[in-house]
């Protein structure tokens, strides 16, 4: 394993500029309506070198994801009231969250100090480049967080904010840096067949053209694989010639993620594109996981202490590791699971504006800012 860790140092070669028109940019070439407002313009549509080890977590002897949360009065990175990119469902202060201590924690790895995020430096380094988040609403959480973090550094920069389904973008015009979001909860395709909506575990054609020719790709999927009933996104599951009403969700996730892995191996030039997988984002509906069996995330006001979560990592995290370890192309695992499990205090809970209790997503400012700081560290170190 030691030799494999050394070999993945090749993953962090500088990005090369891609000059051809990306699939995402082609997708934006039609059906746009821009409303210019001051220095920001917004558009919305009617729809809401090779390595032998994959899933690398370390860089230069530092495991970015093993550590603890410490109180830090210099946080947060931005004020939600001054960031124009936050969805209401993540704006906990807007919807009356009274405590603000959850904003004042920074992640401290055990063996190193990670660089503080610098949005202006990010824009200079990635001038003319494209970063894309691909996945579900946790990708949305992270995409909006990064936009706000950069905006806080360059508040007067001209931006173009295009929001639609499935593809949205935020461009910092003077720098030519674009942050894309491609919403696809399963990554693999949902197709319409005579029986209804079919989750096709072996097909990934729906959005894959839009993902090509990016400089940085950050993939994420798991949240929707567990949904049942009215919130389930499909009616049947197709696995080759087999069509079933349901299946073991972990098995299906493994097969779907394996289809994604084959797509990366066959279609991504990792000398030009850095590929990341955003690890499993946990929920906090079951207090028994952290030894408070009658609790949820509601009313939680501080992280768990220490560096481990009482119930351990979820089985889905093992699926991610297994798939990444089988890939030919280098993919960096943003292993956010444990550090996020410790943040039972960081969810919107009852402050998301919809009247429910949300222990799945995360307040902004908040935990996704740390995810982006770790992404920044991985790109910079």
């Amino acid at each position: 394993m030691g030799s494999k860790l050394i070999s993945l140092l090749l993953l962090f070669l500088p990005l090369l500029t891609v000059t051809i028109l990306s699939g995402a940019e082609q997708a934006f070439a039609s059906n746009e309506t821009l409303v210019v407002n001051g220095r920001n313009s917004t558009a919305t549509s009617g729809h809401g070198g090779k390595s032998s080890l994959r899933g690398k977590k370390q860089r230069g002897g530092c495991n970015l994801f093993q550590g603890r949360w410490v109180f830090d009065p210099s946080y947060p990175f931005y004020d939600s009231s001054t960031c124009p990119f936050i969805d209401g469902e993540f704006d906990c202060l807007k919807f009356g969250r009274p405590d603000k201590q959850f904003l004042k924690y920074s992640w401290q790895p055990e063996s190193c100090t990670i660089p503080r995020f610098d949005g202006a430096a990010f824009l200079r380094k990635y001038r003319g480049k494209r970063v894309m988040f691909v996945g579900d609403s946790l990708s949305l959480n992270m995409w909006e967080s990064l936009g706000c973090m950069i905006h806080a550094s360059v508040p007067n920069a001209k931006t173009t904010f295009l929001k639609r389904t499935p593809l949205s973008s935020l461009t910092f015009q003077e720098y030519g840096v674009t942050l894309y979001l491609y919403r696809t909860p399963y990554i693999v395709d949902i197709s319409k067949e005579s029986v209804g909506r079919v989750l096709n575990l072996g097909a990934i054609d729906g959005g894959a053209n839009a993902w090509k020719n990016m400089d940085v790709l950050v993939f994420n999927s798991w949240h929707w694989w567990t949904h049942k009933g009215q919130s389930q996104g499909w009616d049947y599951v197709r696995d080759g010639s087999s069509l079933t009403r349901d299946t073991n969700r972990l098995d299906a996730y493994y097969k779907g993620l394996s289809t994604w892995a084959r797509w990366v191996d066959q279609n991504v030039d990792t000398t030009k594109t850095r590929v990341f997988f955003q690890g499993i984002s946990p929920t906090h509906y079951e207090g028994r996981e952290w030894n408070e069996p009658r609790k949820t995330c509601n009313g939680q006001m501080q992280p768990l202490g220490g560096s481990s979560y009482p119930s351990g990592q979820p089985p889905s995290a093992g699926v991610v590791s297994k798939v990444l370890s089988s890939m030919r192309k280098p993919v960096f695992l943003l292993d956010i699971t444990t550090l996020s499990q410790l943040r039972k205090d960081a969810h919107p809970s009852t402050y998301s504006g919809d009247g429910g209790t949300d222990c799945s997503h995360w307040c902004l400012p908040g935990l996704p800012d740390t995810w982006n700081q770790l992404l920044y560290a991985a790109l910079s170190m």
Side-chain angles (χ1 to χ4, degrees):
M1 189 64 127
S3 62
K4 292 182 177 180
L5 286 172
I6 292 171
S7 67
L8 201 67
L9 291 174
L10 296 175
L11 174 61
F12 295 96
L13 295 173
L15 288 170
L16 300 178
T17 301
V18 180
T19 57
I20 62 176
L21 184 68
S22 73
E25 289 163 333
Q26 293 171 11
F28 273 124
S30 61
N31 195 30
E32 292 294 82
T33 303
L34 292 182
V35 180
V36 178
N37 179 15
R39 295 179 65 83
N40 296 323
S41 55
T42 303
T44 58
S45 72
H47 303 286
K50 199 169 180 181
S51 167
S52 59
L53 177 67
R54 311 299 170 248
K56 179 179 172 60
K57 302 178 185 180
Q58 301 188 82
R59 179 65 176 157
C62 170
N63 186 331
L64 296 172
F65 309 103
Q66 183 176 335
R68 60 191 179 93
W69 290 99
V70 298
F71 184 79
D72 189 336
S74 72
Y75 279 60
F77 288 101
Y78 55 90
D79 184 332
S80 61
S81 67
T82 62
C83 181
F85 316 125
I86 300 179
D87 276 29
E89 62 183 306
F90 306 141
D91 195 346
C92 304
L93 297 183
K94 176 181 178 180
F95 287 104
R97 180 164 179 167
D99 61 303
K100 296 184 179 180
Q101 183 170 322
F102 76 97
L103 299 171
K104 299 292 185 180
Y105 290 98
S106 64
W107 177 249
Q108 178 58 59
E110 290 180 358
S111 54
C112 57
T113 300
I114 56 178
R116 186 172 176 87
F117 184 85
D118 184 333
F122 182 94
L123 290 174
R124 290 192 298 269
K125 181 175 181 178
Y126 291 96
R127 185 182 295 274
K129 298 188 184 298
R130 297 174 294 274
V131 178
M132 178 176 278
F133 295 89
V134 180
D136 55 30
S137 52
L138 280 311
S139 294
L140 172 67
N141 231 175
M142 192 172 179
W143 175 67
E144 291 185 359
S145 162
L146 183 57
C148 290
M149 292 168 74
I150 296 173
H151 179 265
S153 294
V154 288
N156 295 317
K158 293 181 180 179
T159 61
T160 303
F161 187 38
L162 310 170
K163 193 168 185 187
R164 67 181 191 181
T165 301
L167 186 61
S168 301
S169 74
L170 169 60
T171 300
F172 291 85
Q173 295 176 11
E174 292 99 325
Y175 299 89
V177 174
T178 300
L179 311 179
Y180 291 103
L181 171 71
Y182 193 96
R183 291 289 292 271
T184 173
Y186 304 98
I187 298 184
V188 292
D189 293 347
I190 298 283
S191 57
K192 290 186 178 180
E193 299 187 22
S194 59
V195 294
R197 300 166 302 168
V198 176
L199 174 62
N200 193 333
L201 302 180
I204 200 166
D205 302 321
N209 283 338
W211 313 340
K212 292 180 178 179
N213 304 319
M214 293 291 135
D215 297 289
V216 180
L217 282 168
V218 184
F219 291 94
N220 153 66
S221 184
W222 170 242
H223 184 69
W224 278 81
W225 290 84
T226 61
H227 286 199
K228 296 186 177 183
Q230 291 185 342
S231 65
Q232 181 174 292
W234 44 266
D235 304 305
Y236 287 83
V237 181
R238 178 172 294 286
D239 183 9
S241 61
S242 172
L243 191 66
T244 58
R245 282 192 174 272
D246 206 351
T247 187
N248 179 284
R249 302 305 177 92
L250 275 175
D251 288 346
Y253 182 55
Y254 172 75
K255 291 175 181 177
L257 212 56
S258 296
T259 297
W260 162 81
R262 287 192 294 273
W263 181 87
V264 172
D265 280 342
Q266 294 169 8
N267 293 278
V268 178
D269 181 351
T270 52
T271 67
K272 298 179 179 179
T273 302
R274 299 277 292 279
V275 184
F276 294 83
F277 194 90
Q278 178 186 341
I280 302 300
S281 177
T283 63
H284 288 95
Y285 291 105
E286 302 286 342
R288 57 183 173 78
E289 293 181 355
W290 65 90
N291 300 324
E292 289 185 329
R294 298 185 179 183
K295 300 289 184 68
T296 67
C297 73
N298 190 23
Q300 301 289 339
M301 292 190 290
Q302 60 187 20
L304 287 169
S307 59
S308 62
Y309 193 60
S311 65
Q313 290 207 338
S316 51
V319 171
V320 171
S321 295
K322 182 178 179 181
V323 171
L324 295 187
S325 69
S326 71
M327 297 178 68
R328 292 184 293 105
K329 297 289 180 70
V331 175
F332 188 102
L333 174 61
L334 284 173
D335 192 8
I336 60 164
T337 302
T338 299
L339 66 89
S340 301
Q341 286 176 318
L342 299 175
R343 292 306 306 272
K344 58 186 174 64
D345 60 317
H347 295 284
S349 64
T350 58
Y351 303 105
S352 64
D354 66 0
T357 298
D358 184 352
C359 297
S360 298
H361 301 97
W362 308 93
C363 296
L364 294 180
L367 177 65
D369 304 333
T370 296
W371 299 350
N372 280 311
Q373 189 175 11
L374 292 167
L375 173 64
Y376 181 69
L379 287 167
S380 302
M381 294 172 66

